Amino acid sequence: MFWTSFLVRLEQVGSWLLVGVLIAALVAVVALAVWKIHHRVLAIILTALGSLLCTIPLVSTVNLLVESKAKSLAISETKAELKSLKLQVENESLKRDNLELENKNLSQAITIGNLTNEITLLENAQLSMSSLNEICEVALLETELKQTDVHKEQIGKIEEGLGFRANAYNDEVLVITAHDINAKYGVDLKAVTIHEDASGVLHVSGIRPTYIGSNRNISTPIVSEIRRINYKKAGGQLVPSEIIVQNDGKYKDLATSFATDFDKRFQERLSQGLESNFLDSAVVKLAQNFIKLTLASLKQDIVFDAQDETGVPILEYLNGKIKDKRSEIDGLRQAMDGTQA
């Protein structure tokens, strides 16, 4: 467009110069005919011939000027149209950029809203876990345990030489205790770990049934005694022939000591869950349901594994998730501030 406009301008300048030259030539011819040639007829002829010769190119030059002017106007109009079109394109591009920016900001705002909601849900789960974690263990099952514990153990080795009553003897302790317990079982939340794999599935492990305690634990001795067992030989073998309960104070105190020791062992087995293995599967199922309910707000699939070395405590996992979500929100807000600036 620039080169075309330059050529038109050059053509116009050349045409004006040519018009000036032709007019000057025409004036010169007329002046020559009037002042230099005294023969009237010859002067007229020369004037007419000069006028003809100068008028034809002059008219052509004027026509060329008109055409050049028209071209110049057309070029100016084309330039104006191109400028208007360029402005229109720039405005449309600016509108499109602004619309894309608005859509991007809207999308980021929606994402921030969703992340904020996720943080709220995570904080609720964290609060639930924190309050429960303070007591370490969650009681999930309460049951009545009524059972009788029987212990009969030999005390010392068989001694020989009682004469006519027996050929040998030994002592044994017999303790029978009735237990009436209102027991509570659950899990230790500090031992439960969680791991999120690449596909977003949560792997939970470390669920182990635990005896939490009881609000009633009554041990009632039914029998607590030391017994003398007398043996006689029959067919070359010693067989029990008589059982005598030792009732003097020394043996009663010994029987009480054994009863106390047996009850202590029972309580230890109870606290270790060894007296309630039959409840383990029920406690594990309740624990799994409890964890699913607590983590339901995360809206992620949950798988329970027997053991996972890569897992972290649930509270640590929730804290990490909240931190990541907040970092993501900060990044989006910084990006929005940058685009608006």
Side-chain angles (χ1 to χ4, degrees):
M1 182 61 67
F2 171 77
W3 185 248
T4 302
S5 178
F6 174 75
L7 291 178
V8 169
R9 293 282 184 183
L10 186 62
E11 184 179 290
Q12 287 179 346
V13 171
S15 297
W16 280 112
L17 290 175
L18 183 59
V19 167
V21 171
L22 291 174
I23 291 175
L26 180 61
V27 171
V29 169
V30 173
L32 180 65
V34 172
W35 286 305
K36 297 296 182 180
I37 299 176
H38 299 287
H39 193 282
R40 178 174 292 182
V41 175
L42 182 60
I44 292 173
I45 293 173
L46 183 60
T47 301
L49 182 61
S51 298
L52 178 63
L53 292 175
C54 290
T55 301
I56 292 175
L58 181 61
V59 172
S60 298
T61 303
V62 170
N63 290 335
L64 184 60
L65 280 172
V66 172
E67 290 178 0
S68 297
K69 186 63 176 178
K71 288 182 181 178
S72 179
L73 290 174
I75 290 174
S76 297
E77 291 176 357
T78 301
K79 285 182 177 181
E81 291 177 359
L82 289 174
K83 185 177 181 181
S84 176
L85 183 60
K86 182 180 180 181
L87 289 175
Q88 185 178 356
V89 170
E90 289 177 351
N91 290 334
E92 291 296 329
S93 177
L94 183 60
K95 289 180 180 179
R96 184 172 62 253
D97 292 341
N98 289 335
L99 182 59
E100 290 177 355
L101 182 59
E102 290 176 0
N103 291 335
K104 183 179 180 180
N105 289 339
L106 179 60
S107 175
Q108 290 175 335
I110 292 174
T111 302
I112 289 175
N114 292 335
L115 289 172
T116 303
N117 292 335
E118 290 180 15
I119 287 177
T120 301
L121 295 174
L122 285 167
E123 287 176 341
N124 290 337
Q126 181 190 42
L127 180 61
S128 299
M129 285 295 179
S130 296
S131 59
L132 291 172
N133 202 53
E134 290 178 358
I135 59 175
C136 300
E137 296 165 331
V138 179
L140 299 171
L141 178 64
E142 183 174 344
T143 186
E144 298 286 339
L145 292 178
K146 295 182 183 293
Q147 66 185 75
T148 301
D149 199 24
V150 179
H151 292 274
K152 186 170 70 170
E153 296 182 4
Q154 180 178 314
I155 302 175
K157 63 181 180 178
I158 297 176
E159 301 286 347
E160 296 186 0
L162 275 182
F164 68 93
R165 293 195 62 174
N167 300 116
Y169 70 94
N170 78 287
D171 292 333
E172 71 176 13
V173 58
L174 174 63
V175 175
I176 302 176
T177 306
H179 298 283
D180 181 9
I181 304 170
N182 178 259
K184 296 179 180 179
Y185 294 89
V187 294
D188 184 356
L189 284 179
K190 288 186 177 180
V192 178
T193 61
I194 189 169
H195 164 69
E196 182 176 349
D197 64 20
S199 60
V201 176
L202 302 180
H203 294 261
V204 179
S205 60
I207 298 177
R208 298 179 183 85
T210 303
Y211 172 73
I212 305 298
S214 62
N215 52 23
R216 186 180 72 253
N217 188 343
I218 301 173
S219 298
T220 304
I222 299 175
V223 176
S224 177
E225 59 187 23
I226 303 296
R227 309 191 303 173
R228 173 66 55 85
I229 311 298
N230 291 327
Y231 298 89
K232 284 191 174 183
K233 289 183 179 179
Q237 294 182 346
L238 291 174
V239 295
S241 61
E242 187 180 19
I243 297 177
I244 302 171
V245 176
Q246 307 286 38
N247 289 319
D248 60 51
K250 179 182 68 173
Y251 287 106
K252 285 184 177 181
D253 290 342
L254 183 59
T256 300
S257 176
F258 273 109
T260 301
D261 184 58
F262 291 149
D263 186 63
K264 181 180 179 181
R265 294 186 205 173
F266 174 84
Q267 297 299 334
E268 290 176 354
R269 294 196 306 273
L270 179 68
S271 63
Q272 294 170 3
L274 300 178
E275 292 292 332
S276 54
N277 292 335
F278 61 94
L279 295 173
D280 286 357
S281 59
V283 174
V284 169
K285 186 64 178 178
L286 289 171
Q288 291 176 350
N289 291 337
F290 169 77
I291 291 174
K292 282 182 179 179
L293 181 63
T294 305
L295 300 180
S297 58
L298 302 183
K299 298 180 181 179
Q300 293 176 265
D301 293 332
I302 299 176
V303 174
F304 294 95
D305 301 325
Q307 188 173 6
D308 186 357
E309 299 296 335
T310 61
V312 297
I314 290 182
L315 273 179
E316 183 178 336
Y317 169 78
L318 292 175
N319 289 335
K321 289 282 286 187
I322 291 173
K323 184 177 180 181
D324 291 343
K325 298 292 182 184
R326 285 176 176 165
S327 297
E328 190 173 351
I329 287 177
D330 291 341
L332 289 171
R333 284 176 175 165
Q334 289 177 1
M336 290 177 66
D337 294 340
T339 55
Q340 290 175 357

